[in-house]
Amino acid sequence: MVNTDLTKHVRGESIFIDDIPVPVNTVYLSILFSPLAHGKIKKIILDEAIKVPGVKKIFTAKDIPGKNQIGGIVLDELLLAEDEVTYVGQPVAVVAAETQLIARIARNKIKVEIEKLKAITDPREAFAAGELIIPPKIFSSGNIETAWKDCDVIVDGTTETGGQEHIYMETQVSLAFPIDGEGIKIFSSTQGPTVVQRIAARVLDLPMNKVEVDVPRIGGGFGGKEDQANAWAAITALAAFNLKCPAKLVLPREEDIRVTGKRHPYSSDFKIGLDKDGKILAYEFTFYQNAGAAADLSPAILDRTLFHAANSYFIPNLKATGLCCRTNLPPNTAFRGFGGPQGMFVIEAAIFKAAQTMGIEPDVIQQKNLLKEGDSFHYGQNAVNCTARLCWQSLDSKFQIKEIKDSIAKFNSSNTLLKKGMALMPICFGISFTNTFMNQASVLVHIYSDGSVGISSAAVEMGQGINAKLRQIAAKIFSVEISRIKIESSNTTRVANASPTAASSSTDLNGKALLIACNTLLERLLKSAKEDLNLKENSFLEIKNEIVYSNGNPTKSKWIDIVNSAFLKRVNLSTQAQYATPGIYFDKEISKGNAFAYHVYGTAIIETTLDCLRGIYRIDSVKVVHDFGKSFNKQIDIGQAEGGIVQGLGWITIEDIIFDHEGKLATNSFSNYKIPDIHFAPEEMLILPLENSTNPSGVFNSKAIGEPPLMYGIGVFFALANAMKAFRPNINISFSAPLTPEKVMLKLYSRSKEKSSNYLSQ
Amino acid sequence: MQKNAGIRLARTIHFICNNEIISTEINPAASALDFIRTQLHLNGTKESCREGDCGACSILIGELNGSQVNYKTVNSCILPIGALAGKHIVTIEGLNQQNLNPVQQSFINESAIQCGFCTPGFIVSLTGSLLSSSKINYVTLLAAIDGNICRCTGYASIKRSIINFVDLHSNKINQANERTKELVQYGIVPEYFLSIPDMLNNITKEAKEDYITNGLVTAGGTDIFLQKNKEIENEGIIFIETDSKLPKIYIENNECRISASATVNEIRESSILNKILPDIKEYFSLFGSTQIRNRATLGGNIINASPIGDMTIFFLVLNSILHFSEDGKLREVSMSEFYKGYKLFDKKPKEILETISFRIPEKGLKINFEKISRRTYLDIASVNSAILINVRQNIITDISISAGGVAPFPMLLKKTSKYLNGKQLCLTNLKEACEIAEQEISPISDVRGSAEYKTILVKQIILAHFNKLFPDLIKAEELVW
Ligand SMILES: Cc1cc2nc3c(=O)[nH]c(=O)nc-3n(C[C@H](O)[C@H](O)[C@H](O)COP(=O)(O)OP(=O)(O)OC[C@H]3O[C@@H](n4cnc5c(N)ncnc54)[C@H](O)[C@@H]3O)c2cc1C
Ligand code: FES
Ligand code: FES
């Protein structure tokens, strides 16, 4: 299928916000960020900076006309610091100048006197100090207290998972124009145009109808632009509004990495109980979520951790505690998986450890406990159309788990310094925003008098292929050439009150709204066509490939004819439609409810090779059977799965975020924060769809695809752990991700009992 | 003897961008990427990392060689405009034709595009390889994008695009010496490429250059542009220039000489070096990326004095001699005596490194290079090391081991080497050598690893050298400890 976006991309002709031509009077912004993780601001000295020729103005908190507040779930985040700084990278002042260079030179001349206060970077330490952003969250099912008695094996332990930098290739960028003396238009690289609109309106003390946000497309988001584009958009809006000229801000990569939030690091305790056959009877755990200095989306992310803490397994007795810990790091935020991966890692670690204790292989426990149709999740919802077991079985029959194991055993017995390890990784991911009200979307569809179609939705194209999918949906309903359909930019004036493009749900929500809109318009057109063709009310009219059919026979009328005629007859050729996911609710008091529209399942088998002499490794293959429902765009869906997997395995292996104890990020550039490159990505990736799957809740029976596959990457940790154990059978695996080559080497060869890494901590 | 033709700074820089002649008086230290985006308004070249580490800003730079133009892929973000003088640069826009070209089409065929931000860079890098590689196949094309990062696709679809391209087109592209013509014929590059040699001839004649002697000495700029972005803008830069008619790598009196301005890729491709140092191409495939290797020079690596410079660590064990000049005065320094402390070395401020030389290793001498980094490709080493060794009747006769990342400067493990010299090649001695190495080094904990990790790595790498060079003498089983 021809995708015009793709054609523009390969020609370098697609416009990202930094490519929009700007008027000559545009000012460029540079931000002074807090150099300290915690302290009291004594003085901000602007004298030197303001003297730099070409500087227009320097903004501080007192220049904000509205509220200096950008918090979402909790109102706890200032746009510009007032009397305290709470993390390295917190915006303190903004220089507006004629050029980017001048702005930066002036920014570097601002002096801030800060009285240093004690900084906390560790979530457990924050918890001990009472630094919780919200009260503890508890999910439970069954009766955990009595369940332990029935267990034959009880294992406990701790796990750590590191943060992850989004590395969207396009850094945060915003361009704002004053409009007609009273409003503002912002081009923002955001996943959430409405959120940007709300925050900018709040900061400027404007009603939302005077703030227009437009998003042409974004160069990757992955959650990092769900909430965290707000500050930059609000800052450019502030400058443009105040100076009455366009204002532009592009975060240089080093600043983007340093000052924006990341995937939450978690430190967790677990205790798991099983019977002698490996059936899990009880599971209790506590998550210490490192939220950073402000709430951002942390509470919602913590929810999802708790939802997905049992992964694909049925566990009758469960108790989960989630602690949202405030630390002096940049506020952590959404990242593909939204807390799910952190929860799933812990249960997989618990199973791995239990298997070790029981002297069996982890996949025995994994398989035995997979969800069955009708099983109840710990949050009260029942598993419906549950394909967890089907995916596992299909994987086994397609790839022969036993054969893979045998070939690995053979390899390992004939190689001394190279060891292979494998792991299975089932996944289960609930689809819907965990905040029920967000599960809505609306679209605006125009059919123009020449038969072309324009669609506005709030879904932001960020590489996930939403535009192609929406075009497909409209083309299918109207049964017209796909080239007639254009997807407009996401714009708050055309589509209001929208949820961000997130939670993998943009196709489901916007697609369903689009179905409603297209069907409404189609009905109007066919009604009008019936009149034109002098057909009876009850005759059956349809469009097939642009031609109107009556009771199965082609007529002389084409799409363009009926559009034209309807227009002349003053039929309304535009419509707006809204969709709200039915049947979902969640009672936050008791943590029970049908939180999700449906679940996505799948299983991966992963093979790795470890060079035990050098402590470096290779990911040989990731083979998956994934439940796509009925995919209506296989290329896009497979691409999402592949991309997600590589992001997930990057998180678990080499993507090492290192803060020092002072809360300064050491890994602040591409040269020292490494994401997978083409050689690191698995040599082989094979993603097969689960056959005969369907999903009435999805568009054309499809399933959401954005986030779930990322979690297959978790299996790489355990595959490597198995390779390590093949080399040194007696080591105890520490469940600390990312499993960098350094951690592998220290585990295999360290003589000191001390925890390594004395200068830097995670 | 090769000599520095002088130090050049053209007041007006003339070059060709795509099919247009550009003349500018901009500060030659300014970044080519900024110029391309903000002055030429060619927005297909993207900025993402601005440190040579992602390839989103990739462009081609072509240099006249006889009647041909030789093209290389480079990162425009860390490329000074001055380096473009007299050259042809090609951005993604310069590859576009009426219809999609076959490289672009292969990306469409396999949906190898998600957000699209990285895409132009990939297309440019692949085209660079088509223009410059003698052989075109999956392996060469994959190697061509080792400096391009994509956060969306997981690379699988990009690999499929390359397979798609190779299946459909690679058999047509086989004439290395008429490559541009061939690519024009198959619609891979636009026709104007054929008129570039003439255009270049004309602009080089036009260019009048003033010579200056002040500013930061720049070779490839791949270090200096990261470290001193601001100073460069203020102080200006001067380019190292060599007489392009003289060979950069040659043998004289059983000695091999390499010009300081030889790039990593020139070193990797040199037939002379491949003969005397057989695996050199392989070793330095771990150096940066294609784009970096096309710019980074040997001299820059040595003078940058990073404790983990890959070429520095390698040439240390060859007992290389550095040849400096200053106003025609020549001076030689042994590389093993050159480094004194962190970024401290035996060079006078105005001295220019001209060449480095080493005796051709005798028959029987074995060499190995190891580099361990978090990510195998396009990463700086946690620890790297080279070894030069001769073993006769199981006795080590000549040995030199170097190690990077374990001291404030690139280090020769002199004590370790001394201990092993004359010893029997056996595990007991190797283990003892590892203990000596541990005493000899002084690694610090930083983002590339903790001191403990680096210590383990040095020992393991020493074992790896022997495991690789003498698999029959040092059994793998023995190395499990
Ligand atoms: C993305 C990226 C990846 C990299 N990967 C690696 C890697 O894997 N391994 C590695 O070792 N390095 C790596 N580097 C570092 C760098 O590329 C090398 O050190 C390179 O060899 C420097 O050469 P250059 O010509 O670019 O030096 P320049 O930046 O031009 O110069 C470096 C220094 O040397 C001086 N200098 C240069 N030539 C001379 C001369 N002839 N006489 C006197 N002084 C001179 C300059 O004044 C400057 O101080 C990487 C850099 C980047 C940006
Ligand atoms: S912008 Fe990343 S290499 Fe130039
Ligand atoms: S397609 Fe988004 S970075 Fe490659």
Side-chain angles (χ1 to χ4, degrees):
Chain A
M1 199 196 68
V2 185
N3 183 333
T4 47
D5 256 10
L6 301 191
T7 311
K8 280 185 252 168
H9 285 322
V10 290
R11 297 174 64 91
E13 291 171 349
S14 37
I15 301 291
F16 293 87
I17 290 172
D18 193 26
D19 305 329
I20 297 174
V22 294
V24 283
N25 62 338
T26 304
V27 293
Y28 295 84
L29 309 182
S30 182
I31 302 174
L32 177 80
F33 299 102
S34 167
L36 293 181
H38 195 192
K40 281 219 147 27
I41 298 183
K42 292 283 160 196
K43 222 193 225 164
I44 305 176
I45 307 159
L46 305 177
D47 307 6
E48 286 290 303
I50 199 83
K51 277 191 238 148
V52 176
V55 171
K56 298 282 179 194
K57 187 174 167 87
I58 302 176
F59 295 88
T60 58
K62 62 180 192 326
D63 300 302
I64 293 173
K67 291 199 183 70
N68 182 16
Q69 179 54 253
I70 62 167
I73 298 174
V74 182
L75 296 182
D76 68 346
E77 191 174 355
L78 302 181
L79 179 63
L80 296 175
E82 288 173 1
D83 35 42
E84 194 187 12
V85 286
T86 54
Y87 65 92
V88 174
Q90 184 175 4
V92 176
V94 182
V95 181
E98 281 166 13
T99 69
Q100 220 163 58
L101 189 64
I102 296 173
R104 275 183 214 164
I105 290 170
R107 185 266 314 265
N108 294 343
K109 293 193 182 222
I110 300 176
K111 293 194 186 74
V112 202
E113 287 172 13
I114 300 175
E115 181 191 322
K116 193 167 161 183
L117 298 172
K118 182 181 158 44
I120 297 179
T121 57
D122 178 76
R124 289 181 190 257
E125 205 181 306
F127 175 69
E131 290 288 343
L132 284 187
I133 289 178
I134 49 163
K137 290 200 181 217
I138 295 177
F139 277 38
S140 67
S141 67
N143 187 336
I144 193 85
E145 299 312 325
T146 58
W148 298 118
K149 288 198 301 289
D150 303 326
C151 299
D152 299 314
V153 182
I154 297 176
V155 178
D156 60 13
T158 63
T159 73
E160 306 283 337
T161 48
Q164 184 177 24
E165 165 57 39
H166 302 84
I167 309 282
Y168 26 68
M169 291 300 280
E170 173 205 40
T171 58
Q172 302 272 358
V173 47
S174 172
L175 170 64
F177 295 87
I179 299 289
D180 215 15
E182 57 168 22
I184 197 102
K185 174 166 181 171
I186 309 169
F187 289 98
S188 163
S189 178
T190 179
Q191 296 171 240
T194 291
V195 197
V196 164
Q197 181 193 26
R198 184 181 305 128
I199 299 295
R202 192 196 284 162
V203 167
L204 297 183
D205 195 24
L206 289 174
M208 281 171 79
N209 64 6
K210 288 193 179 158
V211 179
E212 176 185 351
V213 177
D214 193 282
V215 188
R217 63 165 59 76
I218 70 177
F222 315 116
K225 297 172 181 171
E226 180 174 346
D227 229 29
Q228 299 231 338
N230 300 351
W232 325 116
I235 283 171
T236 44
L238 172 66
F241 194 70
N242 181 289
L243 297 171
K244 302 194 171 15
C245 64
K248 180 168 175 175
L249 171 65
V250 187
L251 284 194
R253 177 63 64 181
E254 180 274 328
E255 289 180 13
D256 190 303
I257 298 190
R258 184 157 49 88
V259 310
T260 62
K262 311 180 189 324
R263 187 190 292 289
H264 293 74
Y266 276 53
S267 180
S268 313
D269 298 327
F270 67 82
K271 183 174 164 192
I272 190 168
L274 308 88
D275 70 12
K276 59 181 184 333
D277 301 323
K279 179 130 195 48
I280 305 171
L281 300 179
Y283 181 42
E284 183 173 4
F285 47 94
T286 304
F287 297 120
Y288 296 85
Q289 180 197 42
N290 191 337
D296 194 275
L297 294 164
S298 302
I301 289 163
L302 187 58
D303 278 342
R304 202 175 264 282
T305 308
L306 296 169
F307 281 119
H308 293 320
N311 192 9
S312 293
Y313 311 111
F314 173 66
I315 302 178
N317 305 288
L318 179 149
K319 182 168 177 217
T321 307
L323 304 165
C324 182
C325 309
R326 188 187 292 112
T327 60
N328 296 107
L329 297 183
N332 285 316
T333 193
F335 195 140
R336 206 172 191 175
F338 208 73
Q342 291 96 320
M344 289 188 198
F345 180 81
V346 181
I347 180 75
E348 294 301 328
I351 288 173
F352 190 91
K353 192 162 182 187
Q356 231 172 290
T357 310
M358 296 171 74
I360 55 177
E361 293 188 44
D363 58 276
V364 175
I365 301 177
Q366 288 175 312
Q367 191 181 5
K368 179 157 269 150
N369 292 283
L370 285 174
L371 285 159
K372 288 194 297 290
E373 185 71 13
D375 277 348
S376 175
F377 290 100
H378 54 277
Y379 44 93
Q381 184 164 7
N382 286 342
V384 178
N385 282 329
C386 174
T387 55
R389 283 171 183 256
L390 277 177
C391 288
W392 183 291
Q393 284 152 13
S394 167
L395 180 95
D396 193 8
S397 74
K398 297 229 152 76
F399 300 119
Q400 309 289 338
I401 299 173
K402 175 143 190 325
E403 270 176 32
I404 292 177
K405 281 187 181 173
D406 289 347
S407 84
I408 286 181
K410 203 166 140 206
F411 179 93
N412 286 347
S413 65
S414 54
N415 281 280
T416 314
L417 295 171
L418 288 181
K419 294 291 178 191
K420 281 187 187 284
M422 61 79 79
L424 282 132
M425 182 68 204
I427 60 151
C428 165
F429 199 78
I431 301 302
S432 288
F433 285 96
T434 52
N435 228 337
T436 307
F437 87 89
M438 293 173 81
N439 294 288
Q440 56 171 318
S442 61
V443 297
L444 175 65
V445 181
H446 299 311
I447 302 175
Y448 292 93
S449 57
D450 65 352
S452 62
V453 178
I455 297 173
S456 292
S457 82
V460 171
E461 175 60 62
M462 48 191 171
Q464 85 282 40
I466 182 69
N467 286 2
K469 285 185 168 179
L470 292 181
R471 290 177 84 214
Q472 252 183 303
I473 291 169
K476 182 160 173 175
I477 298 300
F478 293 142
S479 197
V480 296
E481 289 291 327
I482 202 150
S483 56
R484 289 196 187 274
I485 320 260
K486 178 184 176 217
I487 308 297
E488 309 288 352
S489 64
S490 313
N491 181 297
T492 52
T493 303
R494 278 177 268 117
V495 175
N497 305 327
S499 294
T501 303
S504 310
S505 59
S506 60
T507 305
D508 283 2
L509 296 174
N510 295 282
K512 288 265 182 174
L514 182 60
L515 282 174
I516 298 170
C518 291
N519 280 317
T520 306
L521 290 170
L522 183 66
E523 223 169 277
R524 287 182 202 158
L525 282 174
L526 292 179
K527 182 161 176 271
S528 153
K530 268 181 204 169
E531 292 163 12
D532 295 351
L533 294 166
N534 289 319
L535 295 174
K536 283 198 223 76
E537 262 300 303
N538 63 356
S539 54
F540 177 66
L541 216 59
E542 65 190 320
I543 304 171
K544 281 197 234 167
N545 297 326
E546 305 243 332
I547 295 171
V548 179
Y549 281 69
S550 161
N551 295 323
N553 301 314
T555 68
K556 59 179 192 333
S557 272
K558 294 201 170 126
W559 166 259
I560 177 74
D561 305 321
I562 62 172
V563 167
N564 226 310
S565 153
F567 169 60
L568 296 174
K569 284 153 65 185
R570 295 182 291 170
V571 172
N572 181 0
L573 291 181
S574 298
T575 193
Q576 189 265 2
Q578 189 237 20
Y579 175 77
T581 316
I584 49 172
Y585 65 93
F586 191 69
D587 184 340
K588 292 206 165 165
E589 292 299 307
I590 55 168
S591 298
K592 297 275 181 208
N594 274 357
F596 301 109
Y598 58 91
H599 291 82
V600 173
Y601 300 92
T603 300
I605 186 161
I606 292 139
E607 291 173 71
T608 58
T609 307
L610 178 64
D611 175 340
C612 303
L613 192 56
R614 299 175 179 83
I616 52 180
Y617 47 76
R618 190 176 69 207
I619 300 158
D620 301 316
S621 69
V622 178
K623 295 173 185 153
V624 180
V625 170
H626 182 84
D627 180 4
F628 290 95
K630 274 194 184 29
S631 170
F632 66 95
N633 192 322
K634 294 205 175 65
Q635 282 193 316
I636 287 179
D637 287 351
I638 297 278
Q640 284 297 297
E642 291 165 340
I645 289 169
V646 172
Q647 258 177 16
L649 61 84
W651 170 58
I652 220 77
T653 54
I654 51 171
E655 293 190 37
D656 199 7
I657 300 262
I658 305 171
F659 284 99
D660 66 12
H661 294 297
E662 302 273 295
K664 267 204 184 75
L665 184 66
T667 46
N668 61 351
S669 71
F670 270 45
S671 69
N672 50 35
Y673 182 73
K674 291 294 167 188
I675 69 169
D677 64 352
I678 200 159
H679 294 292
F680 188 81
E683 230 157 79
E684 186 186 7
M685 267 202 280
L686 201 52
I687 292 146
L688 302 179
L690 177 71
E691 283 151 14
N692 303 321
S693 173
T694 188
N695 177 37
S697 312
V699 178
F700 304 144
N701 292 305
S702 65
K703 282 195 169 189
I705 184 65
E707 292 166 286
L710 181 135
M711 281 147 275
Y712 294 128
I714 294 171
V716 174
F717 185 98
F718 298 97
L720 287 171
N722 279 326
M724 288 162 74
K725 287 190 75 74
F727 183 68
R728 292 231 195 277
N730 294 327
I731 52 169
N732 282 320
I733 298 295
S734 334
F735 300 107
S736 170
L739 188 49
T740 54
E742 171 165 10
K743 285 200 195 136
V744 170
M745 208 55 159
L746 290 172
K747 184 49 87 179
L748 297 183
Y749 293 98
S750 177
R751 289 183 203 161
S752 69
K753 288 278 167 286
E754 299 290 295
K755 220 185 139 207
S756 62
S757 222
N758 12 39
Y759 147 79
L760 299 158
S761 74
Q762 287 202 8
Chain B
M1 158 90 209
Q2 204 167 316
K3 113 172 194 354
N4 247 14
I7 287 161
R8 165 174 65 95
L9 178 83
R11 282 279 175 263
T12 309
I13 301 162
H14 305 277
F15 62 99
I16 301 170
C17 177
N18 301 330
N19 53 0
E20 226 178 287
I21 295 172
I22 310 289
S23 299
T24 175
E25 299 201 349
I26 196 172
N27 177 353
S31 142
L33 174 63
D34 289 344
F35 190 79
I36 289 167
R37 285 183 59 83
T38 61
Q39 308 285 312
L40 302 180
H41 304 291
L42 296 170
N43 284 328
T45 310
K46 302 295 181 198
E47 170 173 342
S48 186
C49 71
R50 219 188 163 87
E51 53 171 330
D53 240 309
C54 80
C57 65
S58 298
I59 61 168
L60 304 181
I61 177 163
E63 193 173 352
L64 203 54
N65 178 10
S67 61
Q68 300 257 1
V69 181
N70 294 342
Y71 290 95
K72 292 173 189 166
T73 315
V74 296
N75 298 308
S76 62
C77 62
I78 51 170
L79 181 69
I81 294 267
L84 304 186
K87 308 270 167 67
H88 177 213
I89 63 165
V90 185
T91 68
I92 183 73
E93 290 85 354
L95 296 174
N96 285 340
Q97 301 168 54
Q98 184 80 16
N99 296 320
L100 293 184
N101 70 42
V103 181
Q104 293 169 325
Q105 189 60 50
S106 68
F107 267 54
I108 301 282
N109 292 348
E110 297 296 337
S111 280
I113 307 133
Q114 290 185 22
C115 78
F117 205 81
C118 69
T119 312
F122 275 91
I123 304 288
V124 167
S125 295
L126 288 168
T127 309
S129 165
L130 294 175
L131 281 161
S132 61
S133 306
S134 50
K135 283 198 204 93
I136 306 292
N137 54 42
Y138 179 70
V139 176
T140 56
L141 288 173
L142 204 65
I145 49 175
D146 60 0
N148 292 80
I149 295 292
C150 172
R151 188 51 150 171
C152 298
T153 60
Y155 307 98
S157 51
I158 293 174
K159 290 180 192 167
R160 287 193 291 271
S161 308
I162 296 178
I163 293 172
N164 182 266
F165 179 88
V166 168
D167 284 352
L168 293 175
H169 306 285
S170 66
N171 60 342
K172 298 180 209 157
I173 311 167
N174 41 33
Q175 287 189 291
N177 47 357
E178 297 272 335
R179 184 55 57 78
T180 307
K181 252 189 213 150
E182 246 181 353
L183 296 189
V184 168
Q185 190 182 338
Y186 296 117
I188 292 171
V189 299
E191 221 175 304
Y192 76 79
F193 269 69
L194 297 177
S195 54
I196 295 297
D198 282 347
M199 285 168 81
L200 280 180
N201 262 325
N202 288 336
I203 62 160
T204 18
K205 273 182 223 132
E206 266 170 46
K208 279 204 196 72
E209 291 172 351
D210 300 339
Y211 287 84
I212 65 148
T213 48
N214 273 321
L216 284 164
V217 172
T218 304
T222 58
D223 271 319
I224 211 165
F225 258 72
L226 301 194
Q227 299 156 3
K228 302 198 169 174
N229 227 329
K230 288 197 191 68
E231 288 94 321
I232 292 176
E233 296 249 341
N234 296 338
E235 288 178 34
I237 51 174
I238 48 181
F239 294 95
I240 299 279
E241 196 178 66
T242 45
D243 189 336
S244 59
K245 285 178 216 80
L246 296 173
K248 282 195 178 170
I249 299 163
Y250 59 96
I251 291 178
E252 204 175 68
N253 306 330
N254 210 26
E255 237 185 32
C256 180
R257 284 231 179 201
I258 308 178
S259 158
S261 68
T263 65
V264 185
N265 267 347
E266 285 167 343
I267 288 172
R268 285 180 74 222
E269 298 300 331
S270 153
S271 51
I272 293 177
L273 289 178
N274 274 286
K275 206 176 282 163
I276 53 179
L277 307 166
D279 289 327
I280 192 159
K281 192 164 182 176
E282 190 64 32
Y283 301 148
F284 294 145
S285 69
L286 299 179
F287 188 116
S289 62
T290 300
Q291 289 91 324
I292 294 295
R293 293 191 295 271
N294 280 333
R295 291 286 304 163
T297 66
L298 175 57
N301 202 254
I302 292 171
I303 304 299
N304 187 49
S306 155
I308 35 181
D310 287 326
M311 287 194 290
T312 305
I313 285 299
F314 183 79
F315 284 101
L316 259 178
V317 293
L318 292 174
N319 212 356
S320 305
I321 308 289
L322 308 179
H323 303 264
F324 289 97
S325 77
E326 182 182 0
D327 300 333
K329 274 206 307 274
L330 303 181
R331 190 171 71 93
E332 290 180 7
V333 186
S334 161
M335 211 172 162
S336 61
E337 304 300 325
F338 183 60
Y339 298 106
K340 305 291 181 197
Y342 181 68
K343 300 247 168 180
L344 287 177
F345 40 82
D346 178 12
K347 178 178 107 58
K348 296 179 194 123
K350 297 253 159 174
E351 271 182 339
I352 295 289
L353 178 62
E354 296 280 353
T355 57
I356 82 159
S357 66
F358 58 90
R359 286 181 60 82
I360 295 174
E362 291 162 23
K363 269 218 162 58
L365 273 172
K366 291 182 184 247
I367 294 171
N368 189 41
F369 173 77
E370 295 272 337
K371 169 177 178 177
I372 292 181
S373 46
R374 198 172 318 151
R375 187 175 72 191
T376 305
Y377 290 88
L378 185 44
D379 198 357
I380 303 293
S382 295
V383 172
N384 54 5
S385 168
I387 187 171
L388 177 102
I389 184 171
N390 204 347
V391 175
R392 290 203 192 105
Q393 278 125 28
N394 217 14
I395 301 292
I396 300 168
T397 54
D398 289 289
I399 180 165
S400 173
I401 307 177
S402 62
V406 294
F409 51 85
M411 188 182 183
L412 272 175
L413 299 180
K414 289 181 183 165
K415 290 183 184 149
T416 312
S417 306
K418 188 164 170 230
Y419 167 81
L420 281 172
N421 214 359
K423 291 267 181 341
Q424 200 188 341
L425 178 52
C426 67
L427 198 69
T428 322
N429 287 339
L430 280 189
K431 286 193 173 164
E432 184 55 30
C434 287
E435 298 310 312
I436 294 169
E438 179 169 358
Q439 299 311 313
E440 202 175 356
I441 60 176
S442 52
I444 55 163
S445 294
D446 60 19
V447 289
R448 314 229 176 268
S450 61
E452 184 186 5
Y453 175 51
K454 292 176 185 175
T455 305
I456 294 172
L457 279 185
V458 165
K459 298 199 270 185
Q460 290 299 113
I461 286 180
I462 291 176
L463 298 180
H465 282 314
F466 284 91
N467 178 239
K468 202 151 145 195
L469 294 177
F470 307 99
D472 300 334
L473 297 176
I474 299 297
K475 293 268 178 291
E477 297 71 43
E478 301 178 325
L479 293 175
V480 183
W481 59 321

